[in-house]
Amino acid sequence: MSVDALPAYLRHAWPEMREQLLSETYVPAPVRTVYLPKPGGGTRMLGMPTALDRLIAQAMLQVLGPIFDPDFSERSYGFRPGRSAHQALEQACRDMADGYRWVVHLDLEQCFDSVHHDLVMSRVARKVKDKRLVRLIRRYLNAGIMHEGLVSQREAGMPQGSPLSPLLSNILLDDLDKEVERRGHRYCRYADDANVYVQSKRAGLRVMASLTQFLDTRLRLKVNQAKSVVERPWKCTFLGYTVTNNLKPRLKPAPKSVKRAKDRIRQMTHRGRGQHIGVVIAEINRFTRGWVGYFRLASVKAQFDTLEQWIRRRLRKILWEQWRTPKTRCRKLIALGLEGARARKATATGLGAWWNAGASHMHAAVNNGILAEWGLRSLLDQHRAMQRST
């Protein structure tokens, strides 16, 4: 059933659903598995509940959230109302500016998929006194997994597509937050991405060892040793950003974030070889608007400028490929204002489209002003506008 079809279905089915919920006979359906590629390689399994189960889970979230959220740590920023990744980044910068210039980066291994049900439910039951609701949450955790038509039972973990799962993960990881606070450390956590800021590498190694043991013995969660490090913050990535090594750190997009942006734009421009250039530009603008919006906290502009130049070169490459023959290329270059002799010389080269996209003749013919007239929005201009508005 699609989400659009749900309201009409509930008009006649809700009385029965309500009775099943009250009598504790309602059983959530198995979640459907969907595999999505991870930015760093591999895949991430999402569990997608039915539309009806998502509605009920959302209703539970709206009741349970106000019960648990006020007692969560001030240093927890993920999946909470009124909190964001940007607030976590700003707090991290304040800690680094105060002299805590080593970071213990904890990466929890398959956090959502390995959560122990009994540990979560024991913490839920501390505050939720309605036993029917507690048992319903347990049934949601125990709902099977459907893959290619076959259903298997879930013994641990939570479906990542359920509205309720982020709250349940915060309920469990609040124990980690409180433990770090009890020890007096500077700390930021967004979902399962946690950073502890210390003043020396030696202290960082000690904190890494003790928190790894705490997570293993108390919460039964494993730390991904390959991705967890004790390092200088400017050599690490946190929520897509990294920082400069100034005494007052400045935020900038991490190299991996720029690479992922290029990969996405490369896909757009590859598909765009048979499309009008205006259509490709519109698609790029939609992507860069969101990308710049997320990275608006960056105060280092070099990555924006480099990415902007690279985008322009990709667009010039599209045009060179679309023009196809030397005759057409010569005619188009002249039409764009290049003198005839230079256009004929440029199109006589046997070099490839990417080389020509970076050559002076394409820069002169398809200059930045023309690309702007065709609708391409400057990343730097978007970034300045967003910083002014905030």
Side-chain angles (χ1 to χ4, degrees):
M1 184 191 306
S2 69
V3 173
D4 291 336
L6 184 62
Y9 170 78
L10 289 176
R11 288 188 187 98
H12 64 83
W14 181 247
E16 181 183 351
M17 296 295 103
R18 182 177 184 275
E19 180 58 34
Q20 289 181 16
L21 289 166
L22 292 173
S23 63
E24 299 188 65
T25 58
Y26 181 81
V27 179
V31 298
R32 179 170 58 90
T33 56
V34 178
Y35 291 90
L36 297 179
K38 288 184 177 180
T43 58
R44 173 182 288 110
M45 186 186 78
L46 296 185
M48 302 303 295
T50 65
L52 178 60
D53 283 335
R54 287 204 299 275
L55 173 73
I56 295 172
Q58 179 65 33
M60 289 193 289
L61 172 65
Q62 290 175 199
V63 171
L64 295 172
I67 296 173
F68 286 94
D69 192 82
D71 293 330
F72 284 157
S73 167
E74 286 297 313
R75 295 301 187 100
S76 167
Y77 294 91
F79 307 118
R80 296 181 61 189
R83 290 174 172 263
S84 67
H86 286 172
Q87 292 174 334
L89 289 160
E90 290 168 340
Q91 180 60 60
C93 284
R94 288 193 290 271
D95 291 337
M96 286 181 269
D98 288 342
Y100 296 82
R101 295 170 68 80
W102 285 88
V103 61
V104 181
H105 176 68
L106 294 169
D107 185 279
L108 302 183
E109 191 171 301
Q110 298 180 330
C111 178
F112 274 82
D113 297 331
S114 58
V115 165
H116 195 279
H117 290 174
D118 289 342
L119 290 176
V120 174
M121 293 310 304
S122 66
R123 286 152 178 78
V124 170
R126 292 172 187 170
K127 291 191 174 184
V128 179
K129 303 308 178 185
D130 187 331
K131 301 303 180 185
R132 291 177 301 183
L133 182 54
V134 173
R135 287 189 284 267
L136 179 60
I137 296 171
R138 168 73 79 164
R139 286 198 292 273
Y140 264 85
L141 290 176
N142 292 338
I145 302 171
M146 179 182 291
H147 180 59
E148 296 181 349
L150 299 177
V151 177
S152 58
Q153 294 302 308
R154 180 189 292 273
E155 297 180 357
M158 301 177 292
Q160 290 196 41
S162 170
L164 198 57
S165 294
L167 174 64
L168 295 177
S169 69
N170 273 336
I171 289 172
L172 182 63
L173 291 175
D174 190 57
D175 280 27
L176 172 64
D177 302 340
K178 296 298 196 299
E179 175 65 17
V180 177
E181 287 179 345
R182 186 186 67 78
R183 299 182 186 186
H185 294 309
R186 302 293 185 102
Y187 175 68
C188 280
R189 181 175 69 81
Y190 190 93
D192 58 351
D193 204 354
N195 280 357
V196 183
Y197 295 93
V198 295
Q199 293 180 307
S200 69
K201 185 174 184 178
R202 183 178 178 182
L205 293 172
R206 185 174 63 249
V207 169
M208 173 69 82
S210 61
L211 289 182
T212 298
Q213 183 180 17
F214 174 86
L215 287 163
D216 185 32
T217 57
R218 290 281 298 275
L219 302 184
R220 300 190 191 181
L221 294 173
K222 298 294 182 183
V223 172
N224 188 331
Q225 298 295 337
K227 296 182 178 180
S228 299
V229 295
V230 178
E231 189 53 275
R232 293 291 195 179
W234 48 89
K235 295 182 180 180
C236 298
T237 298
F238 183 47
L239 301 176
Y241 281 80
T242 188
V243 296
T244 63
N245 61 355
N246 302 74
L247 290 177
K248 186 176 181 180
R250 300 167 64 199
L251 287 164
K252 60 181 181 178
K256 287 184 178 179
S257 300
V258 177
K259 181 182 180 299
R260 286 197 291 268
K262 286 185 175 182
D263 290 341
R264 180 73 178 276
I265 294 167
R266 191 177 285 111
Q267 293 174 2
M268 298 176 190
T269 53
H270 179 74
R271 292 196 307 265
R273 283 189 289 181
Q275 294 179 318
H276 188 276
I277 194 68
V279 175
V280 181
I281 287 174
E283 188 176 3
I284 290 173
N285 284 341
R286 285 193 292 272
F287 171 75
T288 59
R289 182 166 57 248
W291 194 86
V292 173
Y294 181 74
F295 289 104
R296 67 179 180 271
L297 294 184
S299 56
V300 179
K301 311 292 195 307
Q303 290 89 341
F304 292 90
D305 186 44
T306 301
L307 182 57
E308 187 172 314
Q309 292 179 33
W310 185 87
I311 290 171
R312 293 186 184 119
R313 187 170 180 178
R314 291 295 302 184
L315 291 171
R316 293 180 182 115
K317 178 177 181 287
I318 288 178
L319 291 170
W320 190 262
E321 290 171 334
Q322 287 180 346
W323 295 340
R324 299 179 67 87
T325 65
K327 182 178 180 180
T328 303
R329 287 167 180 165
C330 182
R331 178 168 53 83
K332 292 287 188 179
L333 289 173
I334 293 172
L336 288 166
L338 202 67
E339 55 271 21
R342 188 179 179 189
R344 286 187 290 273
K345 182 180 179 181
T347 54
T349 178
L351 296 172
W354 183 246
W355 183 91
N356 278 282
S360 61
H361 53 267
M362 282 297 284
H363 275 264
V366 188
N367 57 51
N368 296 352
I370 287 177
L371 289 173
E373 288 178 14
W374 292 348
L376 183 66
R377 299 190 63 196
S378 164
L379 271 65
L380 287 169
D381 289 347
Q382 292 182 67
H383 183 258
R384 282 191 286 266
M386 288 182 181
Q387 286 198 320
R388 285 196 298 269
S389 65
T390 55

